[in-house]
Amino acid sequence: MTTPINATSWTYSEEFVAEDDVLAAARARAEEVGVVPISPGGGAALRFLASVLDARAVVEIGTGTGVSGLWLLRGMRADGVLTTVDIEAEHQRLAREGYAEAGIATQRARTIAGAALDVLPRLTDGHYDLVFCDGDKREYAAYLAEAWRLLRPGGVVVFDNALWHDRVADPSQRDEETVAIRELGRTVAEHDGLLSVLLPVGDGLLAAKKVWTPESD
């Protein structure tokens, strides 16, 4: 087994893809309203996945102030549409500021204010290339069920905070959010229809591809 990565190398990897002034401004807005956005390394991973998937349709659960949305939009096709859901309409207003500063056309970012589990059932089955989950950790299992329905075969679901501040790997930690994320990891790893990977970037990114089967057509 290799030696665990040290803090210097972790920081180097997190900063490997630099953020610009637009992302810095979105992060500043997040700090002002008490939102914790995805890390730069996690954002770069989202952009990479959206690009590899040639994503045209993406769902984001947890808009925040638009940091992750900016990363996703930059990886998506030029005609791609991000549907982003958040219970805080004011946060979404701030996110739209960031999208405008980045020169993203308004029709490419559809913001829906509301609880994720109220909004997601209204979205189209099998239509989406990527679903990114960064909402209520206690609802992660329900997000997975919705993502399974929403994703096309070959689509990818991604969960942020999959390591949850180093608590998930510590079996003595039994708070509700930690247990929910830990159980999600087991479910994803054991799911016959998902091909998964846990990436130790930021606070952990759990990604899983919806495997194509003949029944998926």
Side-chain angles (χ1 to χ4, degrees):
M1 189 171 180
T2 59
T3 303
I5 190 171
N6 63 31
T8 301
S9 292
W10 184 89
T11 300
Y12 178 81
S13 67
E14 279 289 313
E15 297 174 352
F16 184 74
V17 179
E19 294 192 324
D20 61 10
D21 291 342
V22 173
L23 279 162
R27 285 194 182 279
R29 294 185 192 104
E31 186 172 355
E32 289 171 5
V33 297
V35 170
V36 181
I38 195 166
S39 76
L46 289 181
R47 184 184 67 169
F48 179 80
L49 287 169
S51 177
V52 167
L53 290 165
D54 197 25
R56 176 179 285 173
V58 174
V59 174
E60 176 185 47
I61 303 168
T63 309
T65 58
V67 174
S68 51
L70 285 166
W71 279 111
L72 285 163
L73 284 159
R74 289 175 175 183
M76 295 167 63
R77 296 168 52 123
D79 61 347
V81 176
L82 172 70
T83 299
T84 180
V85 182
D86 200 294
I87 200 166
E88 296 288 349
E90 173 61 14
H91 294 174
Q92 292 192 321
R93 184 188 68 78
L94 296 173
R96 288 192 292 271
E97 286 186 21
Y99 304 153
E101 290 171 0
I104 294 165
T106 55
Q107 66 267 24
R108 292 198 59 213
R110 179 172 64 147
T111 56
I112 302 176
L117 296 181
D118 292 335
V119 174
L120 296 176
R122 306 202 300 264
L123 302 182
T124 305
D125 291 10
H127 177 69
Y128 296 91
D129 304 295
L130 191 154
V131 176
F132 173 57
C133 307
D134 191 16
D136 188 332
K137 312 311 169 191
R138 296 166 298 181
E139 295 180 348
Y140 267 15
Y143 298 164
L144 176 62
E146 289 295 332
W148 179 259
R149 179 182 60 80
L150 294 171
L151 286 171
R152 63 166 174 81
V156 172
V157 60
V158 183
F159 294 87
D160 194 21
N161 304 114
L163 297 175
W164 198 234
H165 316 304
D166 296 323
R167 299 175 70 86
V168 172
D170 180 355
S172 69
Q173 302 297 327
R174 301 294 301 170
D175 62 277
E176 189 176 2
E177 291 176 323
T178 300
V179 169
I181 298 170
R182 189 181 293 134
E183 290 179 351
L184 170 80
R186 292 196 197 101
T187 299
V188 169
E190 295 170 0
H191 196 301
D192 290 338
L194 294 171
L195 182 66
S196 61
V197 62
L198 178 55
L199 303 173
V201 297
D203 192 31
L205 277 185
L206 175 62
K209 173 185 174 181
K210 183 176 180 179
V211 179
W212 178 88
T213 61
E215 302 84 57
S216 300
D217 285 346

